[in-house]
Amino acid sequence: MEVTYLAAINQALHEEMRRDENVFVMGEDVAELGGAFKVTEGLLEAFGEDRVIDTPISEALIVGAGVGAAVLGMRPVVEMQFSDFISCAFDQIVNSAATLRYRHGGRAACPLVIRAPSGAGIHGALFHSQNPEAWFTRVPGLKVVAPATAYDAKGLLKAAIRDNNPVVYFEHKRLYRSVREDLPEGEFVVPIGVAELRQEGRDLSVITYGGTVHQVLDAARILDKEDKVSVEVLDLRTLLPLDREAILATARKTGKVLVVHEDRLTGGIGGEIAALIAEHAFDALDAPVRRLAALDTHTAFSPPLEEYILPNTNKIVEALRSLAAY
Amino acid sequence: MEVTYLAAINQALHEEMRRDENVFVMGEDVAELGGAFKVTEGLLEAFGEDRVIDTPISEALIVGAGVGAAVLGMRPVVEMQFSDFISCAFDQIVNSAATLRYRHGGRAACPLVIRAPSGAGIHGALFHSQNPEAWFTRVPGLKVVAPATAYDAKGLLKAAIRDNNPVVYFEHKRLYRSVREDLPEGEFVVPIGVAELRQEGRDLSVITYGGTVHQVLDAARILDKEDKVSVEVLDLRTLLPLDREAILATARKTGKVLVVHEDRLTGGIGGEIAALIAEHAFDALDAPVRRLAALDTHTAFSPPLEEYILPNTNKIVEALRSLAAY
Amino acid sequence: MDDVNGAPTPAGPELNARLEFELNLYYQMKLIRAFEDRVSRLHRQNKILGGVYSGAGQEAIVTGICSALRPGDFVAPLHRDLGVFLMMGVDPGRLMAQLMGKENGLSRGKDSFLHGGDLEHGIFGSTSMLGSSLPIAVGAALKFQIKREKQVAVAFFGEGAASRGDVHEAMNFAGVRRLPVIFVCENNRFAYSTPLEKQMAIEDVAARAEAYGFKGHVVSGNDLLAVVQIAERVIGRTRDGGGPALIECKTYRYRGHSEHDPALYRDKEELLEWQSRDPIPRYEFYLEKRGHDVRHVREQIDERTRQVVQAAVDFAENDAFPEPQEALEDLYAPPAGPANLNGRS
Amino acid sequence: MDDVNGAPTPAGPELNARLEFELNLYYQMKLIRAFEDRVSRLHRQNKILGGVYSGAGQEAIVTGICSALRPGDFVAPLHRDLGVFLMMGVDPGRLMAQLMGKENGLSRGKDSFLHGGDLEHGIFGSTSMLGSSLPIAVGAALKFQIKREKQVAVAFFGEGAASRGDVHEAMNFAGVRRLPVIFVCENNRFAYSTPLEKQMAIEDVAARAEAYGFKGHVVSGNDLLAVVQIAERVIGRTRDGGGPALIECKTYRYRGHSEHDPALYRDKEELLEWQSRDPIPRYEFYLEKRGHDVRHVREQIDERTRQVVQAAVDFAENDAFPEPQEALEDLYAPPAGPANLNGRS
Ligand SMILES: Cc1ncc(C[n+]2csc(CCOP(=O)(O)OP(=O)(O)O)c2C)c(N)n1
Ligand SMILES: Cc1ncc(C[n+]2csc(CCOP(=O)(O)OP(=O)(O)O)c2C)c(N)n1
Ligand SMILES: [Mg+2]
Ligand SMILES: [Mg+2]
């Protein structure tokens, strides 16, 4: 049966809570309402008030309490209602959670998942469109994932819940209901840290993740058809740790790389990826590593502004053509 | 007279508070104590309790109240006692302050300076050694500066106070008393957004800022003397907006670039700089852009660990030799 | 309010002014209701995109509190406080343009709904991050204190936002420095779907004030007269150097959390109960006691608000969308003296 | 405490156990004082680097509170609470090695001073960010509640940290869910240089508890007996499902904020006044009333603490520094069952 990205996340929560009674869910409006996006729907009925917990509007508390429960062996899955509000829990994530094992000399662990609905393109404006992933990919001790498909959404969430470290899990709001696929019947997980080659290609590589993966695939199809240019598409899936081997392999293979993300250009993880390639695949490059990302501004509300700011299939096609012509 | 980096900051505060009565200082222990590092010493006596304000331990309040006063035309200079605690004010900086003008359609401004003593190498361990700059350099609406000399410390702080936008001002704790120079008598400012060529060179370029500038200069002297290799040293001084022209100019000139910072490698601004160069000076490069930075971990406490983690002159010399030999 | 008739028998100039003031509040409250009803409708028609948070049922709070403010005061509204903009004199057309993302909206299309502030009218455009505007209002009050200005800052917040750490930090510092700031809690018993008892273990947010060294007041937020009275008293005291205060207004949200929300988690009985406390008929009853011909007044005012709202919609619909490249404008203020700061770059 | 003589006349087994318990607390308090004095000295000798925050003068608080804890309870100490580590049974040698950044320190040299926790002994290693440990203690209490365990979580915090937003969020949620957590405020009247009146407009942090729906208690933090009594009562009640509580212990910091701080901002008279309330002689006076030969007890215990502290110093000085490459260890936990989580990677 076809399952949406959103339903896939919901399935993962159900399955993991059934599998391990230490898993519990906590956040604003996650219980009776089932979450602002209905991601946690049905959990209250299935697992009761002890394991599906509505909190006051207290992001620092939500993450901090998650840390406290996690060090005692629970596996909390906490929700930021929108990833934009993760800024209110910043200290608890980058300090309390990320340094926990380190400052305990390896004698403690923090198996915590922070779910954060992120991303733009839904008229969410400045505070309901953010892509905050690069604030966290520079923090050792954390893991960061950003699935683009229903399969990965489910498999990565299950892996994140089973992981013994704090994982920030970015789920893209625009994909919730726009992306769907058949999921295998049985149990599966998607390993953290492993990128996925969505499409093999010969001429160019695109490295991307999350909200822009489908736009890139669309663009690749257009290039294949209209330009007879064969584009390889690497979906990172995990943003920390990066799958360096996969990144360098595709760069070495095609010699021309475009990095695409919906996050802003400056300070987005595209810089890190371009730098990695420029340093470690220098000899293999036939063209400069290019980046296509949101413009260096906030995600404005008015449709013409939002459209101008965000990457889209057309802009990706253009960038690919320009790179192909280099 | 020789003035330390610390005294230079103190001078800037005195001068600007004298010049403009809308400037005031606020933070923990900034008044009677004169700050944990004595940076605000003497201000209380000179300007009184109305303009030198001790606050409770409330970082979000400190920044938030700064924003509120700033939109009404004041010029608050607020202090984080250590830059590590800036994580507790994160939302107020990246959302309240950084988006302020934008969300008011250009009809408001937020002339706020956030001073943040940062940096490692003083046995400060995980929570008194952080280099948080790259969390902010990815946020449009902010400016970010990080002086390395007494002259710049003074001139950039004065420029920051006069700037009509929120400026995060990172002052490196290790430089407070270890760096000093003669300052000109008269009034001067150092413009935000302009990098400084600390040393001209022919063979290699190093791009750096803040705590590692002096180590790089030492390393450059060693290379000059022992290897007859001429190293150009660019001190960024401003981290947002980056001085792209200066960065690309030195890259094009020498064709070999090493980026050095005390911040961690992954997600530090070195990635952004390397990406810029790799994209826009591709043809001029004779070697991959290399980066030398703190290792991807937290700044550990024990001396052998801290030493192992942080960049230093020896490590820079080695990296330069390796790059020179490429 | 010179065009409204049906006034009671003539009296002294002071009473007359009061009567006019009171009638004007009625007009304002009705205008807010009418404007918001229209906004809800425009949202269903897809003419307003993004989140829309109706303040229907809570109009008496913003009307009453803002009635005690003066030019130069500072207000940070909450996400449901469209009424603050109208009360503070923002042009309804520009407000509607803001909601539609148009060029002449307060934020020039940059941000949605109420995040576009209007500092010319003393309104700070709060971010979405609930509670974050309280430290900012405290900073405004700090400016008034430093400059010895007889102004006040007002921060509105929901009982939901009251759980945020920023609220604590703000109130504590306001208490320490005895700042001229008034915290107004609109306690509508729900934060999205979360009822009061899951948000706090006490009944009154106002009880917190004492823990910060100032006084907390509780008032019916559906009783405009009561809100006006407490606002005049408390804000007046704060303005005169009496230090901060908290006013908690008990009320209820009529519509869903946002226009997307059918609010199935709520008890229909409870809604009915609160709708029977609607601030508008309640205030009409008062006006009647005052001797006004309420039916006549209502008709006139309904006509007037209808015209104002329609004019606002017309203005906004005819307004252009911003040019795409404007996305990169308004990020940084140019180097200019403080006087120019509120000018565009 | 079998080796301490000078006990009062024999009595029933229950009283005997109590007397032993009381003498042991005396030993613990003395050990903390001796250990911290030595730490201050080692800091001056540059054998301990980084920030050192002495709890001298405040020993009765950690001693009394921890005396009511049981295995499996959870404690988040504040930066001055070295005594918590000793009270909870952490080996003094490993604690000293922690302070010196040695391999066998709690954090294996990773972090400084008290940031290395020891979960085997129930101690959470708090970050430096003041107040951030309160949400975490609340999370521990949530685990106890979910799992129906008769354990409690305790979070120590200074009156300075009380101004942080995290403290508010933590207390509010604890109140809502009636969690088994006790918040212990060590109110030593200063946050670094900042005196109480610049931190809050009220006298007692304990007054805040009611605003979260639970009870706040005030006790002299320099009176070990009083702290023990309230700890037994309040923690016992919380353990039995009575919900959260706040205990505020009034006390005073003897030394500077850290060993770097001469604390010139403080009134010498005030220090003198508080030193005259030193918890150790005060408790000795009680022991005397109990019939102990205090001079004899003190001599024996001084000798014992001297030996314990010296052994700790010897252990730590002989301990190796970690190997440089260990800097990259302990960042991530390996994939293993929860049982293994506290094992090293
Ligand atoms: C920090 C933060 N967390 C979560 C949200 C999402 N959110 C928006 S409104 C709302 C409920 C607000 O409740 P309340 O403060 O009582 O105001 P009301 O909507 O009832 O007027 C929530 C949870 C937010 N905007 N900011
Ligand atoms: C969030 C945060 N801000 C600032 C500091 C710096 N700092 C360390 S201790 C301290 C004073 C703490 O006062 P209090 O909580 O009363 O504890 P005490 O030191 O008096 O025991 C300050 C300001 C910090 N550690 N964390
Ligand atoms: Mg509400
Ligand atoms: Mg204190």
PDB file of all heavy atoms in Angstrom, chain C residues 250-273:
ATOM      1  N   LYS C 250      -9.239  36.815  31.920  1.00  0.00           N
ATOM      2  CA  LYS C 250      -9.827  35.500  31.680  1.00  0.00           C
ATOM      3  C   LYS C 250     -10.747  35.590  30.470  1.00  0.00           C
ATOM      4  O   LYS C 250     -11.633  36.459  30.416  1.00  0.00           O
ATOM      5  CB  LYS C 250     -10.644  35.064  32.897  1.00  0.00           C
ATOM      6  CG  LYS C 250      -9.872  35.072  34.190  1.00  0.00           C
ATOM      7  CD  LYS C 250      -8.887  33.928  34.301  1.00  0.00           C
ATOM      8  CE  LYS C 250      -8.411  33.801  35.736  1.00  0.00           C
ATOM      9  NZ  LYS C 250      -7.347  32.779  35.895  1.00  0.00           N
ATOM     10  N   THR C 251     -10.554  34.697  29.545  1.00  0.00           N
ATOM     11  CA  THR C 251     -11.333  34.773  28.313  1.00  0.00           C
ATOM     12  C   THR C 251     -11.393  33.405  27.646  1.00  0.00           C
ATOM     13  O   THR C 251     -11.035  32.399  28.262  1.00  0.00           O
ATOM     14  CB  THR C 251     -10.735  35.855  27.376  1.00  0.00           C
ATOM     15  OG1 THR C 251     -11.592  36.060  26.267  1.00  0.00           O
ATOM     16  CG2 THR C 251      -9.347  35.449  26.881  1.00  0.00           C
ATOM     17  N   TYR C 252     -11.807  33.405  26.421  1.00  0.00           N
ATOM     18  CA  TYR C 252     -11.976  32.143  25.708  1.00  0.00           C
ATOM     19  C   TYR C 252     -11.864  32.409  24.222  1.00  0.00           C
ATOM     20  O   TYR C 252     -12.331  33.425  23.728  1.00  0.00           O
ATOM     21  CB  TYR C 252     -13.336  31.523  26.032  1.00  0.00           C
ATOM     22  CG  TYR C 252     -13.416  30.032  25.784  1.00  0.00           C
ATOM     23  CD1 TYR C 252     -12.817  29.145  26.664  1.00  0.00           C
ATOM     24  CD2 TYR C 252     -14.100  29.535  24.684  1.00  0.00           C
ATOM     25  CE1 TYR C 252     -12.895  27.769  26.452  1.00  0.00           C
ATOM     26  CE2 TYR C 252     -14.178  28.160  24.461  1.00  0.00           C
ATOM     27  CZ  TYR C 252     -13.573  27.283  25.349  1.00  0.00           C
ATOM     28  OH  TYR C 252     -13.648  25.933  25.144  1.00  0.00           O
ATOM     29  N   ARG C 253     -11.250  31.466  23.546  1.00  0.00           N
ATOM     30  CA  ARG C 253     -11.052  31.561  22.103  1.00  0.00           C
ATOM     31  C   ARG C 253     -12.278  30.969  21.426  1.00  0.00           C
ATOM     32  O   ARG C 253     -12.656  29.843  21.731  1.00  0.00           O
ATOM     33  CB  ARG C 253      -9.814  30.706  21.804  1.00  0.00           C
ATOM     34  CG  ARG C 253      -9.098  30.889  20.536  1.00  0.00           C
ATOM     35  CD  ARG C 253      -7.980  29.825  20.456  1.00  0.00           C
ATOM     36  NE  ARG C 253      -8.520  28.524  20.089  1.00  0.00           N
ATOM     37  CZ  ARG C 253      -7.936  27.356  20.361  1.00  0.00           C
ATOM     38  NH1 ARG C 253      -6.801  27.307  21.011  1.00  0.00           N
ATOM     39  NH2 ARG C 253      -8.502  26.228  19.984  1.00  0.00           N
ATOM     40  N   TYR C 254     -12.903  31.722  20.532  1.00  0.00           N
ATOM     41  CA  TYR C 254     -14.075  31.175  19.850  1.00  0.00           C
ATOM     42  C   TYR C 254     -13.710  30.156  18.777  1.00  0.00           C
ATOM     43  O   TYR C 254     -14.307  29.110  18.667  1.00  0.00           O
ATOM     44  CB  TYR C 254     -14.879  32.296  19.185  1.00  0.00           C
ATOM     45  CG  TYR C 254     -15.730  33.106  20.137  1.00  0.00           C
ATOM     46  CD1 TYR C 254     -16.455  34.199  19.659  1.00  0.00           C
ATOM     47  CD2 TYR C 254     -15.820  32.795  21.486  1.00  0.00           C
ATOM     48  CE1 TYR C 254     -17.242  34.951  20.513  1.00  0.00           C
ATOM     49  CE2 TYR C 254     -16.597  33.546  22.347  1.00  0.00           C
ATOM     50  CZ  TYR C 254     -17.314  34.623  21.850  1.00  0.00           C
ATOM     51  OH  TYR C 254     -18.088  35.367  22.691  1.00  0.00           O
ATOM     52  N   ARG C 255     -12.736  30.535  17.975  1.00  0.00           N
ATOM     53  CA  ARG C 255     -12.442  29.699  16.812  1.00  0.00           C
ATOM     54  C   ARG C 255     -11.345  28.684  17.151  1.00  0.00           C
ATOM     55  O   ARG C 255     -10.906  28.581  18.295  1.00  0.00           O
ATOM     56  CB  ARG C 255     -12.031  30.573  15.627  1.00  0.00           C
ATOM     57  CG  ARG C 255     -13.116  31.628  15.293  1.00  0.00           C
ATOM     58  CD  ARG C 255     -12.816  32.379  14.026  1.00  0.00           C
ATOM     59  NE  ARG C 255     -12.655  31.512  12.885  1.00  0.00           N
ATOM     60  CZ  ARG C 255     -13.666  31.023  12.151  1.00  0.00           C
ATOM     61  NH1 ARG C 255     -14.904  31.353  12.435  1.00  0.00           N
ATOM     62  NH2 ARG C 255     -13.411  30.234  11.134  1.00  0.00           N
ATOM     63  N   GLY C 256     -10.930  27.930  16.160  1.00  0.00           N
ATOM     64  CA  GLY C 256      -9.825  27.007  16.380  1.00  0.00           C
ATOM     65  C   GLY C 256      -8.551  27.772  16.678  1.00  0.00           C
ATOM     66  O   GLY C 256      -8.510  29.006  16.574  1.00  0.00           O
ATOM     67  N   HIS C 257      -7.528  27.026  17.042  1.00  0.00           N
ATOM     68  CA  HIS C 257      -6.237  27.671  17.294  1.00  0.00           C
ATOM     69  C   HIS C 257      -5.851  28.548  16.113  1.00  0.00           C
ATOM     70  O   HIS C 257      -5.494  29.704  16.261  1.00  0.00           O
ATOM     71  CB  HIS C 257      -5.171  26.600  17.528  1.00  0.00           C
ATOM     72  CG  HIS C 257      -3.791  27.125  17.446  1.00  0.00           C
ATOM     73  ND1 HIS C 257      -3.313  28.079  18.317  1.00  0.00           N
ATOM     74  CD2 HIS C 257      -2.782  26.866  16.574  1.00  0.00           C
ATOM     75  CE1 HIS C 257      -2.069  28.362  17.989  1.00  0.00           C
ATOM     76  NE2 HIS C 257      -1.730  27.662  16.945  1.00  0.00           N
ATOM     77  N   SER C 258      -5.919  27.965  14.924  1.00  0.00           N
ATOM     78  CA  SER C 258      -5.772  28.758  13.707  1.00  0.00           C
ATOM     79  C   SER C 258      -6.943  28.378  12.814  1.00  0.00           C
ATOM     80  O   SER C 258      -7.742  27.504  13.154  1.00  0.00           O
ATOM     81  CB  SER C 258      -4.452  28.451  13.008  1.00  0.00           C
ATOM     82  OG  SER C 258      -4.535  27.177  12.386  1.00  0.00           O
ATOM     83  N   GLU C 259      -7.028  29.019  11.690  1.00  0.00           N
ATOM     84  CA  GLU C 259      -8.152  28.730  10.804  1.00  0.00           C
ATOM     85  C   GLU C 259      -8.088  27.305  10.251  1.00  0.00           C
ATOM     86  O   GLU C 259      -9.064  26.817   9.702  1.00  0.00           O
ATOM     87  CB  GLU C 259      -8.210  29.756   9.674  1.00  0.00           C
ATOM     88  CG  GLU C 259      -8.578  31.164  10.161  1.00  0.00           C
ATOM     89  CD  GLU C 259      -9.946  31.228  10.845  1.00  0.00           C
ATOM     90  OE1 GLU C 259     -10.935  30.782  10.244  1.00  0.00           O
ATOM     91  OE2 GLU C 259     -10.015  31.727  11.985  1.00  0.00           O
ATOM     92  N   HIS C 260      -6.947  26.654  10.420  1.00  0.00           N
ATOM     93  CA  HIS C 260      -6.846  25.261   9.965  1.00  0.00           C
ATOM     94  C   HIS C 260      -7.434  24.275  10.961  1.00  0.00           C
ATOM     95  O   HIS C 260      -7.578  23.108  10.657  1.00  0.00           O
ATOM     96  CB  HIS C 260      -5.372  24.879   9.746  1.00  0.00           C
ATOM     97  CG  HIS C 260      -4.708  25.641   8.661  1.00  0.00           C
ATOM     98  ND1 HIS C 260      -3.882  26.707   8.906  1.00  0.00           N
ATOM     99  CD2 HIS C 260      -4.768  25.497   7.312  1.00  0.00           C
ATOM    100  CE1 HIS C 260      -3.440  27.187   7.752  1.00  0.00           C
ATOM    101  NE2 HIS C 260      -3.964  26.494   6.782  1.00  0.00           N
ATOM    102  N   ASP C 261      -7.697  24.746  12.144  1.00  0.00           N
ATOM    103  CA  ASP C 261      -7.960  23.841  13.262  1.00  0.00           C
ATOM    104  C   ASP C 261      -9.447  23.784  13.597  1.00  0.00           C
ATOM    105  O   ASP C 261     -10.028  24.771  14.038  1.00  0.00           O
ATOM    106  CB  ASP C 261      -7.159  24.345  14.480  1.00  0.00           C
ATOM    107  CG  ASP C 261      -7.525  23.616  15.749  1.00  0.00           C
ATOM    108  OD1 ASP C 261      -7.937  22.445  15.662  1.00  0.00           O
ATOM    109  OD2 ASP C 261      -7.389  24.224  16.841  1.00  0.00           O
ATOM    110  N   PRO C 262     -10.084  22.616  13.430  1.00  0.00           N
ATOM    111  CA  PRO C 262     -11.506  22.490  13.789  1.00  0.00           C
ATOM    112  C   PRO C 262     -11.723  22.416  15.307  1.00  0.00           C
ATOM    113  O   PRO C 262     -12.866  22.424  15.755  1.00  0.00           O
ATOM    114  CB  PRO C 262     -11.918  21.173  13.111  1.00  0.00           C
ATOM    115  CG  PRO C 262     -10.648  20.384  12.955  1.00  0.00           C
ATOM    116  CD  PRO C 262      -9.540  21.383  12.833  1.00  0.00           C
ATOM    117  N   ALA C 263     -10.661  22.309  16.076  1.00  0.00           N
ATOM    118  CA  ALA C 263     -10.755  22.335  17.544  1.00  0.00           C
ATOM    119  C   ALA C 263     -11.678  21.264  18.102  1.00  0.00           C
ATOM    120  O   ALA C 263     -12.503  21.522  18.980  1.00  0.00           O
ATOM    121  CB  ALA C 263     -11.163  23.735  18.027  1.00  0.00           C
ATOM    122  N   LEU C 264     -11.510  20.079  17.595  1.00  0.00           N
ATOM    123  CA  LEU C 264     -12.361  18.972  18.034  1.00  0.00           C
ATOM    124  C   LEU C 264     -12.094  18.568  19.482  1.00  0.00           C
ATOM    125  O   LEU C 264     -12.895  17.872  20.096  1.00  0.00           O
ATOM    126  CB  LEU C 264     -12.137  17.755  17.119  1.00  0.00           C
ATOM    127  CG  LEU C 264     -12.418  18.022  15.632  1.00  0.00           C
ATOM    128  CD1 LEU C 264     -12.062  16.813  14.778  1.00  0.00           C
ATOM    129  CD2 LEU C 264     -13.877  18.421  15.439  1.00  0.00           C
ATOM    130  N   TYR C 265     -10.962  18.980  19.996  1.00  0.00           N
ATOM    131  CA  TYR C 265     -10.566  18.619  21.362  1.00  0.00           C
ATOM    132  C   TYR C 265     -11.335  19.405  22.413  1.00  0.00           C
ATOM    133  O   TYR C 265     -11.183  19.148  23.598  1.00  0.00           O
ATOM    134  CB  TYR C 265      -9.054  18.867  21.526  1.00  0.00           C
ATOM    135  CG  TYR C 265      -8.621  20.189  20.941  1.00  0.00           C
ATOM    136  CD1 TYR C 265      -8.790  21.378  21.655  1.00  0.00           C
ATOM    137  CD2 TYR C 265      -8.092  20.262  19.651  1.00  0.00           C
ATOM    138  CE1 TYR C 265      -8.442  22.605  21.108  1.00  0.00           C
ATOM    139  CE2 TYR C 265      -7.728  21.488  19.098  1.00  0.00           C
ATOM    140  CZ  TYR C 265      -7.902  22.643  19.830  1.00  0.00           C
ATOM    141  OH  TYR C 265      -7.555  23.861  19.287  1.00  0.00           O
ATOM    142  N   ARG C 266     -12.147  20.343  21.971  1.00  0.00           N
ATOM    143  CA  ARG C 266     -12.808  21.195  22.957  1.00  0.00           C
ATOM    144  C   ARG C 266     -14.230  20.763  23.240  1.00  0.00           C
ATOM    145  O   ARG C 266     -14.914  20.192  22.390  1.00  0.00           O
ATOM    146  CB  ARG C 266     -12.812  22.650  22.487  1.00  0.00           C
ATOM    147  CG  ARG C 266     -11.515  23.340  22.783  1.00  0.00           C
ATOM    148  CD  ARG C 266     -11.672  24.837  22.739  1.00  0.00           C
ATOM    149  NE  ARG C 266     -12.510  25.295  21.644  1.00  0.00           N
ATOM    150  CZ  ARG C 266     -12.483  26.546  21.194  1.00  0.00           C
ATOM    151  NH1 ARG C 266     -11.661  27.423  21.746  1.00  0.00           N
ATOM    152  NH2 ARG C 266     -13.266  26.912  20.216  1.00  0.00           N
ATOM    153  N   ASP C 267     -14.661  21.101  24.416  1.00  0.00           N
ATOM    154  CA  ASP C 267     -15.995  20.800  24.880  1.00  0.00           C
ATOM    155  C   ASP C 267     -16.971  21.834  24.310  1.00  0.00           C
ATOM    156  O   ASP C 267     -16.788  23.039  24.497  1.00  0.00           O
ATOM    157  CB  ASP C 267     -15.962  20.871  26.417  1.00  0.00           C
ATOM    158  CG  ASP C 267     -17.286  20.485  27.025  1.00  0.00           C
ATOM    159  OD1 ASP C 267     -18.160  20.024  26.279  1.00  0.00           O
ATOM    160  OD2 ASP C 267     -17.421  20.644  28.251  1.00  0.00           O
ATOM    161  N   LYS C 268     -17.994  21.365  23.612  1.00  0.00           N
ATOM    162  CA  LYS C 268     -18.947  22.299  23.004  1.00  0.00           C
ATOM    163  C   LYS C 268     -19.680  23.108  24.060  1.00  0.00           C
ATOM    164  O   LYS C 268     -20.011  24.269  23.856  1.00  0.00           O
ATOM    165  CB  LYS C 268     -19.974  21.522  22.157  1.00  0.00           C
ATOM    166  CG  LYS C 268     -19.410  21.027  20.843  1.00  0.00           C
ATOM    167  CD  LYS C 268     -20.481  21.034  19.733  1.00  0.00           C
ATOM    168  CE  LYS C 268     -19.923  20.482  18.447  1.00  0.00           C
ATOM    169  NZ  LYS C 268     -20.116  19.017  18.308  1.00  0.00           N
ATOM    170  N   GLU C 269     -19.969  22.464  25.180  1.00  0.00           N
ATOM    171  CA  GLU C 269     -20.663  23.147  26.275  1.00  0.00           C
ATOM    172  C   GLU C 269     -19.868  24.366  26.743  1.00  0.00           C
ATOM    173  O   GLU C 269     -20.395  25.440  27.005  1.00  0.00           O
ATOM    174  CB  GLU C 269     -20.812  22.197  27.474  1.00  0.00           C
ATOM    175  CG  GLU C 269     -21.769  21.063  27.249  1.00  0.00           C
ATOM    176  CD  GLU C 269     -23.205  21.560  27.199  1.00  0.00           C
ATOM    177  OE1 GLU C 269     -23.627  22.254  28.141  1.00  0.00           O
ATOM    178  OE2 GLU C 269     -23.900  21.287  26.196  1.00  0.00           O
ATOM    179  N   GLU C 270     -18.561  24.139  26.859  1.00  0.00           N
ATOM    180  CA  GLU C 270     -17.675  25.186  27.352  1.00  0.00           C
ATOM    181  C   GLU C 270     -17.708  26.384  26.390  1.00  0.00           C
ATOM    182  O   GLU C 270     -17.779  27.538  26.816  1.00  0.00           O
ATOM    183  CB  GLU C 270     -16.260  24.624  27.472  1.00  0.00           C
ATOM    184  CG  GLU C 270     -15.322  25.453  28.325  1.00  0.00           C
ATOM    185  CD  GLU C 270     -13.929  24.841  28.397  1.00  0.00           C
ATOM    186  OE1 GLU C 270     -13.383  24.433  27.334  1.00  0.00           O
ATOM    187  OE2 GLU C 270     -13.362  24.775  29.494  1.00  0.00           O
ATOM    188  N   LEU C 271     -17.665  26.068  25.109  1.00  0.00           N
ATOM    189  CA  LEU C 271     -17.706  27.134  24.114  1.00  0.00           C
ATOM    190  C   LEU C 271     -19.011  27.921  24.233  1.00  0.00           C
ATOM    191  O   LEU C 271     -19.017  29.159  24.260  1.00  0.00           O
ATOM    192  CB  LEU C 271     -17.557  26.528  22.705  1.00  0.00           C
ATOM    193  CG  LEU C 271     -17.662  27.505  21.536  1.00  0.00           C
ATOM    194  CD1 LEU C 271     -16.612  28.603  21.640  1.00  0.00           C
ATOM    195  CD2 LEU C 271     -17.506  26.775  20.195  1.00  0.00           C
ATOM    196  N   LEU C 272     -20.091  27.178  24.352  1.00  0.00           N
ATOM    197  CA  LEU C 272     -21.400  27.819  24.481  1.00  0.00           C
ATOM    198  C   LEU C 272     -21.430  28.739  25.698  1.00  0.00           C
ATOM    199  O   LEU C 272     -21.882  29.895  25.631  1.00  0.00           O
ATOM    200  CB  LEU C 272     -22.473  26.729  24.628  1.00  0.00           C
ATOM    201  CG  LEU C 272     -23.912  27.237  24.579  1.00  0.00           C
ATOM    202  CD1 LEU C 272     -24.385  27.299  23.140  1.00  0.00           C
ATOM    203  CD2 LEU C 272     -24.835  26.339  25.399  1.00  0.00           C
ATOM    204  N   GLU C 273     -20.946  28.201  26.783  1.00  0.00           N
ATOM    205  CA  GLU C 273     -20.905  28.964  28.031  1.00  0.00           C
ATOM    206  C   GLU C 273     -20.166  30.290  27.821  1.00  0.00           C
ATOM    207  O   GLU C 273     -20.627  31.343  28.228  1.00  0.00           O
ATOM    208  CB  GLU C 273     -20.207  28.085  29.075  1.00  0.00           C
ATOM    209  CG  GLU C 273     -20.003  28.709  30.431  1.00  0.00           C
ATOM    210  CD  GLU C 273     -19.089  27.816  31.296  1.00  0.00           C
ATOM    211  OE1 GLU C 273     -19.174  26.562  31.183  1.00  0.00           O
ATOM    212  OE2 GLU C 273     -18.278  28.377  32.055  1.00  0.00           O
TER     213      GLU C 273
END
